[in-house]
Amino acid sequence: MPTMDLPDYMERVQQSTARYIALVGGRGSAKSASMGRHMLMKSQTEGADILNGREFMNSIRGSVHKLYKTLIKDLDLSEDFGTTETRVYCHTGGEMEFRGFSRNPEAVKSAEGYKYSWLEEAQTVSQDTLTDLLPTIRMKGSQLFFTANPKSSADPFSKRFIVPYLGDLLKYGYYEDDLHLIMFVNWRDNPWHDELEKERVWDLNNKVRSLYDHIWEGAFNDSIENPLIQAEWFDACIDAHKVKGFDPIGLRFSSHDPSDEGPDNKGFAFRHGSVIQDIQEKETGNINQGGDWATSLAINHNSDAFTWDCDGMGVGLNRQVTQAFQGKHTTLAQFKGSEGVDNPDNIFEPADGAPIQDQKTIKQAIKNKRGQYYFELRKRIYKTYEAVVEGKYHNPDELLSLDSSIALLPKLRSELCRMPVKPNGNGLFELYTKEVMKVKFKMKSPNLADSVMMLMRTPHQPNRAQCKKPRPIQPIGRRR
């Protein structure tokens, strides 16, 4: 068989012995063409019969039959493969079968004789098809391959193969264990993408960013009404300090979103002045181990202040945190987002020239502390967008830059840009609780977003020369 050119990401696919292998991403990634080449090699080298399925296929024209014919022609494989109007077969004995599953459940249940299957457009597959297909392909060494552009985080394929592993997928670009190999692949991963580049750039400049991200970046096409942060605002913050020429100076501030053993990760964030320089998460360990991890990171950053979420079990970290910072200059502060706002009688967003009596106070505009400091985060991010994209001047102290060296930026982006603002009957700014977000929107706890949000609540800093032990734990935001 002639040598086939493949994107680099296919090397991991070819070497994997995982039972479930999925290529997930947007347009221009070459995932279908690459998977088609891989299937041809399997058929030729092993003489394997391969089931090629789609959820919806009214005729053979709706299958990957045409893709195989094109590949055979372009790769000059006519000596190895033959084709008819309905068949693709290899002279070594392997044959391609094409089936649609939505109208023919028996087409899935009768697939047990196949060693390999490829489900194209897997984002459209029904739960019934997945339930029947996964245990049906069961020969020794069998593998099930999937290609998909994610539709919704709630669709059956995403719930089974993307959402449970989303943290690793956003952080590393792939997830792998003994059973799975799931990879995010996009136009950047395709060395032959040039022919679509003009179309991609046009979409980037003309389409709504969330739609562009779905089409080209493989993002979920979930419809979130009134998101907290627009994707283009977030993107403008990446290395904004380098773009606008300001340095990270001032307060060195760390935060921690704690959790116990379970599905929620622990979060940590650090900012120096207006620049977020470090974001990390810890997936294992109990709440005390997480506390040790976060305080160690804060100490390594020589933090002037440290805060942590005390709504719930985090209140139990008081003694541990105090001991960790014994003898250091660091100001310690609890954060309880469910409490009322700080400085409640201050004017909310003062308007120049407007009479004081006509302007709302903070307590008349925002529900609680969590909403107050997410609003502050939103304001800083939007001002940064105005400064970077629109050229509008803002004091750098009012901006927020995200250092591009932070590996978890894609996950933070996902958490912030899919966080909905909650409608409030009294017109107050409010966000859904973590518990409601899990149930209503199927979202995991936004541990990274919460960590960054807490950094917006700047503490009052005493004179360092007077500090020979940790400052008393205080609710920050009110100066005494």
Side-chain angles (χ1 to χ4, degrees):
M1 189 176 198
T3 301
M4 292 186 184
D5 291 326
L6 291 168
D8 290 344
Y9 61 75
M10 285 301 294
E11 182 177 357
R12 190 182 295 272
V13 173
Q14 291 175 318
Q15 294 176 352
S16 177
T17 59
R19 175 167 168 77
Y20 303 126
I21 297 179
L23 297 181
V24 179
R27 184 180 299 171
S29 60
K31 56 185 180 293
S32 293
S34 298
M35 190 62 77
R37 286 170 164 85
H38 186 63
M39 294 296 102
L40 289 174
M41 286 191 284
K42 287 287 188 184
S43 180
Q44 198 272 345
T45 58
E46 299 181 29
D49 292 337
I50 297 173
L51 175 65
N52 299 270
R54 298 182 72 151
E55 184 70 9
F56 304 104
M57 193 183 85
N58 293 327
S59 69
I60 199 71
R61 291 178 177 272
S63 72
V64 291
H65 179 272
K66 183 178 180 180
L67 172 63
Y68 281 129
K69 289 182 67 175
T70 301
L71 289 173
I72 290 168
K73 179 180 178 182
D74 292 347
L75 297 171
D76 194 21
L77 299 177
S78 57
E79 292 185 3
D80 299 281
F81 290 89
T83 64
T84 69
E85 289 301 312
T86 59
R87 295 176 61 217
V88 174
Y89 56 92
C90 182
H91 298 314
T92 60
E95 185 167 347
M96 305 291 184
E97 178 78 14
F98 305 94
R99 296 185 186 179
F101 298 139
S102 64
R103 298 180 181 178
N104 185 13
E106 294 303 316
V108 183
K109 296 176 182 178
S110 63
E112 61 184 74
Y114 293 91
K115 184 176 181 181
Y116 302 112
S117 70
W118 173 21
L119 186 58
E120 169 74 335
E121 300 290 345
Q123 72 273 8
T124 65
V125 72
S126 68
Q127 184 58 58
D128 287 344
T129 295
L130 276 183
T131 300
D132 290 339
L133 180 65
L134 300 190
T136 299
I137 306 294
R138 57 177 180 263
M139 292 178 61
K140 184 177 180 180
S142 60
Q143 292 180 304
L144 294 85
F145 297 88
F146 306 88
T147 48
N149 185 349
K151 185 172 59 173
S152 164
S153 59
D155 69 55
F157 176 79
S158 294
K159 288 168 67 176
R160 172 59 183 84
F161 289 105
I162 302 178
V163 173
Y165 318 111
L166 189 58
D168 279 353
L169 288 169
L170 291 173
K171 186 174 183 179
Y172 304 113
Y174 71 95
Y175 173 81
E176 189 169 18
D177 60 26
D178 291 341
L179 189 62
H180 306 83
L181 172 60
I182 303 163
M183 302 179 67
F184 269 162
V185 296
N186 283 307
W187 57 272
R188 299 174 189 80
D189 306 303
N190 177 10
W192 306 284
H193 164 74
D194 289 350
E195 63 188 47
L196 293 176
E197 179 61 7
K198 289 183 179 179
E199 181 180 352
R200 186 195 68 81
V201 172
W202 190 93
D203 283 356
L204 176 63
N205 293 328
N206 293 278
K207 290 187 182 296
V208 175
R209 186 54 186 265
S210 58
L211 180 57
Y212 168 87
D213 287 345
H214 169 62
I215 294 172
W216 292 97
E217 305 291 349
F220 289 127
N221 195 24
D222 292 331
S223 178
I224 297 295
E225 186 176 354
N226 193 17
L228 175 74
I229 306 292
Q230 299 285 351
E232 52 265 43
W233 302 355
F234 182 95
D235 293 344
C237 293
I238 299 174
D239 282 341
H241 63 296
K242 299 175 184 177
V243 175
K244 301 306 293 184
F246 60 89
D247 295 323
I249 56 174
L251 183 73
R252 303 175 68 86
F253 190 13
S254 294
S255 63
H256 173 45
D257 184 36
S259 71
D260 209 350
E261 294 177 333
D264 292 338
N265 296 340
K266 302 150 184 61
F268 172 86
F270 168 76
R271 76 171 170 95
H272 185 187
S274 293
V275 184
I276 304 289
Q277 294 185 318
D278 191 15
I279 298 172
Q280 297 193 38
E281 65 179 354
K282 181 176 173 60
E283 300 174 358
T284 59
N286 59 36
I287 187 168
N288 297 112
Q289 291 169 323
D292 288 340
W293 165 78
T295 54
S296 294
L297 289 172
I299 291 169
N300 288 341
H301 281 298
N302 194 27
S303 298
D304 302 308
F306 177 80
T307 189
W308 72 103
D309 186 355
C310 289
D311 265 333
M313 64 182 66
V315 70
L317 292 176
N318 287 358
R319 180 178 298 178
Q320 182 178 349
V321 170
T322 302
Q323 291 176 345
F325 288 97
Q326 187 67 39
K328 297 179 173 56
H329 67 267
T330 312
T331 297
L332 307 180
Q334 300 174 345
F335 185 96
K336 196 165 186 178
S338 61
E339 290 183 340
V341 296
D342 288 329
N343 308 308
D345 296 320
N346 285 5
I347 297 299
F348 172 73
E349 299 289 282
D352 292 340
I356 293 295
Q357 64 268 23
D358 293 339
Q359 299 188 53
K360 286 184 178 180
T361 62
I362 295 176
K363 69 182 179 184
Q364 293 172 327
I366 299 180
K367 179 74 172 180
N368 53 27
K369 280 188 179 69
R370 186 167 185 262
Q372 182 177 12
Y373 291 102
Y374 262 119
F375 187 90
E376 178 65 21
L377 175 62
R378 181 191 206 183
K379 184 171 67 173
R380 275 182 172 252
I381 288 176
Y382 182 66
K383 285 185 175 181
T384 306
Y385 168 80
E386 288 186 318
V388 171
V389 176
E390 299 179 357
K392 185 175 180 179
Y393 175 77
H394 288 290
N395 187 326
D397 293 342
E398 299 176 344
L399 305 182
L400 190 71
S401 180
L402 300 166
D403 197 281
S404 60
S405 65
I406 299 171
L408 285 171
L409 283 184
K411 186 174 182 183
L412 175 66
R413 184 181 190 269
S414 177
E415 290 182 0
L416 285 175
C417 298
R418 295 188 62 246
M419 185 178 294
V421 176
K422 180 181 178 181
N424 183 288
N426 292 326
L428 298 173
F429 181 84
E430 182 181 6
L431 296 172
Y432 292 96
T433 65
K434 295 180 182 180
E435 291 72 22
V436 172
M437 288 174 66
K438 289 179 183 178
V439 174
K440 184 178 177 69
F441 299 100
K442 313 301 179 186
M443 297 179 183
K444 288 189 174 182
S445 177
N447 60 301
L448 303 183
D450 279 359
S451 298
V452 170
M453 173 272 294
M454 287 187 283
L455 293 179
M456 301 302 103
R457 194 176 185 227
T458 306
H460 170 54
Q461 277 299 110
N463 187 328
R464 280 196 183 190
Q466 300 173 355
C467 299
K468 297 183 179 179
K469 59 183 180 179
R471 299 289 297 179
I473 294 174
Q474 56 173 304
I476 59 178
R478 296 191 180 106
R479 294 178 180 265
R480 296 187 291 177

